[in-house]
Amino acid sequence: MIEVFRTNVTSQQNAEKILNKIHSGFPGYVANFDLSDCDRVLRINSHAGSLCAQTIIRLVADLGFTAEVLPDVVSEPSMQY
């Protein structure tokens, strides 16, 4: 399962701090940041199947930052006439 979060993390140093906490607390998770994205995206892939988004949001908040789940948006194929 993959979950994508919008965050307010702006520095690589803070991103690494959060990633270290995620990886040490959740060995089955693979996480990374895309700080160049306008949403400063945190992506987490759980090899164990389920992923508790609220736990991640709380962990990020405990470190002084915000995270919220980005909704899945599936775009419809455009129809050309």
Side-chain angles (χ1 to χ4, degrees), residues 2-75:
I2 297 175
E3 196 69 75
V4 181
F5 300 85
R6 172 185 296 132
T7 74
N8 67 341
V9 177
T10 57
S11 77
Q12 188 63 39
Q13 180 181 6
N14 289 327
E16 288 175 17
K17 184 188 325 182
I18 293 168
L19 292 174
N20 286 337
K21 279 284 201 184
I22 291 170
H23 291 139
S24 67
F26 305 94
Y29 290 6
V30 176
N32 62 57
F33 271 94
D34 182 355
L35 297 179
S36 64
D37 186 276
C38 65
D39 290 320
R40 296 178 207 105
V41 168
L42 167 62
R43 283 184 194 84
I44 302 177
N45 185 354
S46 171
H47 295 293
S50 66
L51 187 152
C52 182
Q54 290 297 34
T55 301
I56 297 299
I57 291 169
R58 234 176 287 119
L59 181 148
V60 171
D62 288 348
L63 294 171
F65 300 95
T66 61
E68 64 181 80
V69 174
L70 279 174
D72 288 337
V73 178
V74 177
S75 59

